[in-house]
């Protein structure tokens, strides 16, 4: 088997969290696809995962918390660089019917 190695960055990682409110479980896959596409298009977004999941059956709302990891192998990242990617995620997510980010 061929082993693939990936260089570990000497530069610090930065993390951002977002909490999404979804009207239905079907929106969960739309959101996951959006975030996966964004990650594939941006080398600085190195990892993401769900850290919180809560379903309120009375109000028919699903809340999903995502954590995003940003890191470069070439330099320390600035807030401006990270915010550009996060703003793209936010803009695309809220354009999907049934997905909202409270507080924005």
């Amino acid at each position: 088997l061929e082993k693939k190695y990936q260089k570990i960055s000497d530069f610090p990682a930065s993390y951002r969290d977002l909490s999404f409110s979804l009207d239905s479980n079907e929106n969960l896959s739309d959101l996951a696809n959006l975030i996966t596409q964004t990650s594939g298009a941006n080398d600085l977004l190195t990892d993401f995962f769900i850290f919180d999941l809560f379903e309120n059956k009375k109000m028919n709302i699903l809340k999903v918390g995502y954590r995003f990891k940003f890191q470069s192998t070439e330099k320390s990242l600035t807030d401006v660089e990270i915010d550009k990617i996060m703003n793209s995620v936010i803009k695309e997510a809220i354009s999907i019917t049934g997905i909202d980010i409270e507080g924005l």
Side-chain angles (χ1 to χ4, degrees):
L1 295 175
E2 184 179 324
K3 294 183 180 183
K4 294 182 180 181
Y5 295 96
Q6 186 175 22
K7 182 182 177 194
I8 297 174
S9 178
D10 293 330
F11 298 98
S14 293
Y15 298 88
R16 297 289 193 279
D17 295 343
L18 271 179
S19 180
F20 299 91
S21 295
L22 294 84
D23 289 347
S24 68
N25 289 336
E26 289 81 30
N27 291 344
L28 190 56
S29 64
D30 294 338
L31 181 60
N33 289 336
L34 166 71
I35 293 171
T36 301
Q37 289 172 355
T38 303
S39 176
N42 293 287
D43 292 337
L44 301 180
L45 178 54
T46 59
D47 194 17
F48 60 90
F49 58 91
I50 294 174
F51 71 90
D52 189 27
L53 183 65
F54 173 75
E55 185 173 10
N56 185 334
K57 293 188 187 244
K58 285 184 180 180
M59 296 180 69
N60 196 30
I61 294 176
L62 180 66
K63 299 221 180 221
V64 181
Y66 268 94
R67 177 158 294 152
F68 301 90
K69 178 184 175 186
F70 298 90
Q71 193 170 28
S72 172
T73 57
E74 300 171 1
K75 62 178 184 165
S76 293
L77 298 177
T78 64
D79 284 337
V80 172
E81 292 169 309
I82 295 169
D83 289 344
K84 182 178 177 185
I85 299 168
M86 289 303 296
N87 288 338
S88 173
V89 170
I90 291 168
K91 181 181 174 184
E92 293 295 323
I94 60 176
S95 71
I96 298 172
T97 302
I99 297 178
D100 190 30
I101 301 173
E102 295 178 16
L104 291 182

